[in-house]
Amino acid sequence: MACGVGIGRRPHVILSNLRCVYQNLSLENWLLQNWNFARSDCLLVYRNKPCVVIGRFQNPWREVNVAEAREKGIDIARRVSGGGTVYHDLGNVNFSFFTDKPSHCPAKNLTFLADTLNQWADLGLKTNKRHDMSIEEAKVTGSASRIIRTGSFHHCTLLVTSSLSSLSSVLQGDPYITTSIATASVPSPVTNLASHSRDVILTPGHVISHVTSSYLARYDVHFPEPELPWKPEQDTAGDVMVVDALPESVDEPEHKTWDWVFGRTPKFTRSFGAGMEVMVDKGVVVEVSDRRLEEVIGTPFDQTTIQQML
Amino acid sequence: AEYGKQWYQRRVREWVNVSGGVGRVGITDHAQAALGDIVYVDLPDVDAEFDVGEEVSSVESVKAVGDVALPVSGIVKAVNDALSDTPTLVNQSAEDGGWICEIELTDTSELDDLMDKAAYDAFLESE
């Protein structure tokens, strides 16, 4: 597997001005399905207003306090790549490196980010085999990848000025989920880039600017017009395109549906005490241990409703 | 189980083992090694029908979420439930106990496009 920048390939940068996680994830997945990987690579950059993003095969009820997230208007999203649960807000930046399969190399992307940021702001960033980037022992990134027949992306979230403590209670999942085959999150200490910069003022905007310029500079082939899988609304010049609205082909973000966020949850069992439990598959109650709960069979899992019945 | 003839796709990711009109499908040892430790296998629904090349399963490894495509068209008749508790079975025994699903082949002529074990082994040697 080649880990160098492809010869004769050209880069594109797509800057999303969308701030809704469902829209950004839909755009990212749509690019994966429609990008012309034979001709060029792409770097997609996006930021989301406060939300929680779970991995492809995770259990949202186990990772998040769903009721509290709803109350606080914090979106819960499921991405198509794997890994654990992360919190996004406007203080963290998401970079999605699109390449063809042979060029898929998260290690190279992280080294690129570390080198770019270290040269600019002297941060002492280090990368490891698990595709983490850290300052001393605290992580500043979380990485995951998605590979399909025709191409791939490696994406990572970079903590710049994120509110690290504000959502700690929302990230307390349901402790009564007793059996679950979903993939688990591995908690680790995290830190923001901004707290480690001595001379340079780090903001998400500055980071994006530096990283995208540096990304484009790695390639020696550039064309005046980007080749995009959709016709942009306004004229675009060079290799950087700003997205203010989803392309028409992406109608309603599929990532917003209940079916995707909750209905893709692997089988699990939730205990209600005194030996009572319900088994949930694809987000729907399929089995109950007590006759009093029979009427919830076939309905979407809702812990509050069931609790009230007992 | 009775093992029939094992067929491999030219892109060396999946295999189908055919006995009568039923095929057992899985990923190759080569593919599992490239994926790394597997942490989740998304099994298809029984009775779901897929065309050759269509994604029948998703697999999450420590490195990425990837797809498993059917090497021949078919209808899912059974899935390997053991993979729910032990997804690493695919790493340990990709071409045997780590099978993913069983399908009823809808077009056995598609086997003509695949390699048999001898051809597959020769193909791997030449890589």
Side-chain angles (χ1 to χ4, degrees):
Chain A
M1 201 178 267
C3 256
V5 173
I7 296 164
R9 297 174 64 79
R10 31 174 304 219
H12 280 306
V13 168
I14 297 184
L15 298 176
S16 169
N17 273 349
L18 308 167
R19 293 290 173 255
C20 166
V21 63
Y22 303 124
Q23 291 188 320
N24 281 319
L25 292 181
S26 291
L27 173 64
E28 185 180 59
N29 195 40
W30 186 85
L31 284 169
L32 178 66
Q33 307 291 336
N34 293 282
W35 191 257
N36 183 350
F37 290 97
R39 282 275 276 174
S40 60
D41 298 339
C42 175
L43 175 64
L44 168 69
V45 187
Y46 56 92
R47 292 192 289 149
N48 295 314
K49 58 186 199 290
C51 62
V52 181
V53 184
I54 66 173
R56 174 67 179 86
F57 298 115
Q58 290 207 296
N59 180 329
W61 290 284
R62 198 168 78 153
E63 302 294 328
V64 185
N65 184 329
V66 173
E68 189 178 328
R70 280 201 180 115
E71 266 169 58
K72 293 185 168 165
I74 291 161
D75 290 332
I76 300 172
R78 179 188 298 273
R79 55 183 186 269
V80 294
S81 60
T85 297
V86 287
Y87 160 65
H88 288 183
D89 64 14
L90 296 175
N92 72 334
V93 183
N94 299 290
F95 292 104
S96 198
F97 296 85
F98 287 85
T99 64
D100 61 15
K101 281 171 70 170
S103 309
H104 177 81
C105 196
K108 176 193 74 167
N109 299 332
L110 288 161
T111 302
F112 156 71
L113 281 174
D115 288 346
T116 300
L117 296 167
N118 281 340
Q119 273 160 33
W120 172 42
D122 190 28
L123 293 162
L125 289 160
K126 290 196 158 72
T127 62
N128 68 16
K129 284 197 167 95
R130 288 188 64 243
H131 301 153
D132 293 326
M133 195 161 73
S134 322
I135 296 178
E136 279 137 35
E137 297 308 312
K139 282 171 53 166
V140 297
T141 58
S143 274
S145 293
R146 174 81 172 108
I147 302 173
I148 63 171
R149 208 165 35 91
T150 47
S152 72
F153 70 69
H154 156 240
H155 60 186
C156 63
T157 190
L158 180 65
L159 296 167
V160 183
T161 51
S162 185
S163 289
L164 299 178
S165 59
S166 70
L167 287 195
S168 50
S169 62
V170 169
L171 293 178
Q172 300 291 337
D174 185 341
Y176 297 104
I177 289 175
T178 49
T179 317
S180 165
I181 55 170
T183 55
S185 294
V186 178
S188 29
V190 291
T191 190
N192 275 308
L193 289 186
S195 11
H196 297 268
S197 174
R198 280 170 281 262
D199 303 311
V200 179
I201 296 173
L202 286 184
T203 65
H206 285 123
V207 168
I208 292 169
S209 193
H210 262 86
V211 170
T212 54
S213 312
S214 197
Y215 174 83
L216 290 170
R218 289 193 307 166
Y219 294 78
D220 51 18
V221 183
H222 297 262
F223 292 98
E225 291 297 318
E227 272 169 26
L228 298 158
W230 75 93
K231 187 136 175 54
E233 297 255 319
Q234 63 252 73
D235 289 330
T236 57
D239 293 336
V240 180
M241 191 207 177
V242 175
V243 173
D244 289 311
L246 281 183
E248 255 175 46
S249 343
V250 189
D251 312 308
E252 198 48 48
E254 58 198 299
H255 282 70
K256 198 172 182 164
T257 64
W258 182 95
D259 189 59
W260 176 256
V261 179
F262 294 97
R264 291 286 194 262
T265 305
K267 220 177 282 193
F268 68 95
T269 310
R270 206 274 189 188
S271 162
F272 286 87
M276 276 181 299
E277 55 183 28
V278 303
M279 189 186 297
V280 182
D281 192 14
K282 300 189 172 146
V284 170
V285 178
V286 292
E287 232 179 83
V288 298
S289 64
D290 191 293
R291 294 196 60 183
R292 278 180 287 168
L293 298 175
E294 262 168 16
E295 65 185 81
V296 296
I297 295 178
T299 67
F301 173 70
D302 186 315
Q303 172 249 317
T304 321
T305 309
I306 298 171
Q307 199 74 67
Q308 283 167 359
M309 290 168 67
L310 297 171
Chain B
E2 283 261 307
Y3 281 96
K5 195 163 179 192
Q6 192 118 329
W7 297 92
Y8 294 81
Q9 256 205 331
R10 218 151 280 280
R11 60 195 188 98
V12 305
R13 284 185 49 94
E14 294 93 359
W15 53 266
V16 59
N17 186 303
V18 184
S19 190
V22 177
R24 201 168 249 200
V25 175
I27 67 170
T28 61
D29 190 57
H30 186 273
Q32 74 72 21
L35 279 170
D37 290 342
I38 290 167
V39 300
Y40 192 86
V41 179
D42 193 29
L43 298 168
D45 292 329
V46 171
D47 293 333
E49 184 165 356
F50 299 92
D51 287 332
V52 55
E54 241 190 293
E55 179 201 317
V56 68
S57 162
S58 275
V59 170
E60 179 175 351
S61 75
V62 291
K63 291 184 191 174
V65 171
D67 295 339
V68 178
L70 276 189
V72 291
S73 308
I75 302 167
V76 178
K77 287 293 152 197
V79 296
N80 189 353
D81 286 316
L83 298 183
S84 295
D85 291 320
T86 318
T88 49
L89 200 47
V90 178
N91 295 116
Q92 291 156 29
S93 181
E95 301 194 20
D96 189 353
W99 61 276
I100 293 172
C101 63
E102 278 174 358
I103 57 170
E104 184 186 289
L105 276 70
T106 48
D107 184 354
T108 50
S109 74
E110 286 168 347
L111 292 171
D112 295 340
D113 297 325
L114 305 181
M115 292 182 274
D116 67 11
K117 182 116 178 76
Y120 174 69
D121 286 341
F123 180 79
L124 282 186
E125 286 285 294
S126 70
E127 286 279 282

